[in-house]
Amino acid sequence: MITDVKSLVDGVLSGEPRSLARAISVIENHMPGWEQCLEQMYLHSGRAEILGFTGAPGVGKSTLVNAVMEQLLNMGKKVAVLAIDPSSPFSGGALLGDRIRMSKSMLQKNAFIRSMSTRGAMGGIAASTWDVSYVLDAACYDVIIIETVGVGQVEVDVMRGVDVCVVVLVPGMGDSIQALKAGIIEIADVFVINKADRDGANALERELNMVLSLADSMPKVEIVKTCATSGQGVADLLRAKDEFRKAAASLGLKQKKRKDFARSVLFQQMSSLILAEIMAIDANDVQIEAGVERIVNERVAPLIVARDLVARYKALCGSSLYNLQKGFL
Ligand code: GDP
């Protein structure tokens, strides 16, 4: 039971590790007081640099993120990594020692690594990841790295919210560029060709350059070659992401990206709140199940059934959504 949101928030803001862990679990598990806690965390966030790393399994994302994390820690930064891994169960702090070759005291003070699984993510994995990032941001982590397996829509959606999205490729994975989904190409701010110690890195770079010259995006998307296992190229990657950030800020794109992302999150949150309200007045899902029957057995189009159910909801509310909207605006 959470009794004192204020002392929990104060603990997080002063960087107290136990409060940080507690706040994350209160928010993630929607424990009592979670909304006030989240509100405070969000209020105190917005300062951290958020980096996204995505790419197919096996390209070396974790190894690369570890190398990046080590360099940033050596520069005196506080760094957090949230690895979205739909397959793995929660693994918490035990990962730290395995992933990073650094002294324990430094790790405990300045580093945080967490694997986010779909299990237990009450508002969906994307929402849950962002909620945890607000806590870390409020706790004064300088850099928050979100690592995803770049395959699904959820991962692409998460990446739209980061300041710099790094897409990791490797040579020799067949038609790697063709295999990339359009969404992934679109969200890439920096491309990394990892495992550059292997044959084919230059050919892949040429291929990628051709694709990028067609896209002609602003700021220019850089390609960086790395060998994550030796750390080669990691400094170049950090330089490339800093340059991207500077260019994006001077073009006003950082603010635009944050607003676009906020708008899409707002729409998602409003849709789920409205849906929750409709569901709440339909005890035991009687209407929903009747609607499902109509769709499947009576071949009534889902759009028509949805309209009927929303109309019923409006009638029950005694006010049309249009009027609600006018009052709202
Ligand atoms: P992830 O699934 O994308 O997170 O990939 P991992 O970081 O787990 O790496 C997959 C495998 O590739 C591991 O055996 C790494 O040691 C290896 N690996 C990662 N980076 C490099 C690299 O730059 N060169 C080579 N040769 N192997 C690498």
Side-chain angles (χ1 to χ4, degrees), residues 53 67 74 82 87 92 95 106 123-124 134 138 151-152 168 176 184 251 287 292-293 296:
F53 279 72
N74 280 329
L82 298 176
S87 62
L95 264 176
M106 181 160 187
Y134 304 143
V151 283
V168 187
S176 44
I184 293 279
L251 291 166
Q287 298 299 334
V292 170
E293 282 296 317
V296 174

Side-chain angles (χ1 to χ4, degrees), residues 56-63 147 194-198 226-229:
V59 296
K61 287 179 304 297
S62 314
T63 316
E147 179 187 324
N194 190 40
K195 306 197 185 182
D197 50 317
R198 292 191 176 169
T226 60
C227 175
T229 37

Side-chain angles (χ1 to χ4, degrees), residues 178-198:
Q178 279 75 19
L180 278 177
K181 294 212 173 121
I184 293 279
I185 296 259
E186 185 200 311
I187 57 170
D189 299 319
V190 176
F191 272 108
V192 164
I193 298 179
N194 190 40
K195 306 197 185 182
D197 50 317
R198 292 191 176 169

Side-chain angles (χ1 to χ4, degrees), residues 266-267 270 320-329:
L266 183 60
F267 283 150
M270 290 192 326
S320 76
L321 282 182
Y322 175 71
N323 284 333
L324 281 177
Q325 187 188 34
K326 276 207 302 196
F328 181 67
L329 293 173

